[in-house]
Amino acid sequence: MQRIIPLLGPLGISRVSDVAALDCYVCTNQTGNVEKCLNTLRTCEPGEDVCGTEIRWGSLPYFSQGALKQYYVSKRCMTKQQCQAKRKRHMPYCTHIWYEDWSCHECCQGDRCNYFIISGGKKLSAMPTVTLTAVLVTLLTVARNFLP
């Protein structure tokens, strides 16, 4: 998107300049990449040159063991430096282990580039069921070998 910004030239004479402004999807702590996270756009401020996406798996208001867990998605405009620093801070906690609390942060450049969640959060929602099914099948197979 192009945004026209008035600039002061030499001797205080006003001139108009075309500046490319970045559009990012924005939302805060939404329960999944739905609704507001897919429908709310913001034109970033000058200097904000990337879109950031944070996805967390856990419970709110505090991440705690044993509490009901779900996805929380936040998206916003950021500077490249802010986004890279946040990504680096989240990296040790970006495990995608379904029974543990985790968080990941991604950065992207380009209009509306943070529409999709790169971490693949939606694909992970079936993991507890798949894992439980695999464990049950293994137990039944072992039990069948020991029964007459």
Side-chain angles (χ1 to χ4, degrees), residues 56-65 70 72 101-103:
R56 293 181 296 147
W57 170 254
S59 53
L60 280 181
Y62 303 104
F63 287 92
S64 59
Q65 191 172 4
Q70 61 186 21
Y72 294 94
D101 294 343
W102 54 264
S103 64

Side-chain angles (χ1 to χ4, degrees), residues 14-31:
S14 181
R15 63 184 178 92
V16 175
S17 173
D18 284 341
V19 176
L22 181 66
D23 284 337
C24 294
Y25 288 93
V26 294
C27 60
T28 304
N29 285 334
Q30 298 298 302
T31 55

Side-chain angles (χ1 to χ4, degrees), residues 82-98:
Q82 288 172 327
C83 201
Q84 288 175 338
K86 194 161 190 158
R87 188 172 190 276
K88 186 176 180 180
R89 271 195 316 273
H90 282 263
M91 193 59 66
Y93 310 107
C94 188
T95 62
H96 293 277
I97 298 173
W98 67 269

Side-chain angles (χ1 to χ4, degrees), residues 122-147:
K122 284 286 187 191
K123 289 185 271 184
L124 295 175
S125 62
M127 279 189 69
T129 305
V130 172
T131 304
L132 181 59
T133 303
V135 169
L136 288 175
V137 168
T138 302
L139 288 174
L140 289 173
T141 304
V142 171
R144 187 180 291 170
N145 289 336
F146 288 107
L147 293 175

Side-chain angles (χ1 to χ4, degrees), residues 27-30 37 52-56 72-76:
C27 60
T28 304
N29 285 334
Q30 298 298 302
C37 289
T53 302
E54 180 181 306
I55 180 171
R56 293 181 296 147
Y72 294 94
V73 177
S74 297
K75 299 178 179 183
R76 66 185 185 127

Side-chain angles (χ1 to χ4, degrees), residues 3 13-14 21 40 43 71-72 76 97-98 109 119 122 148:
R3 179 174 24 167
I13 298 170
S14 181
T40 308
T43 300
Y71 291 102
Y72 294 94
R76 66 185 185 127
I97 298 173
W98 67 269
Q109 289 181 302
S119 295
K122 284 286 187 191

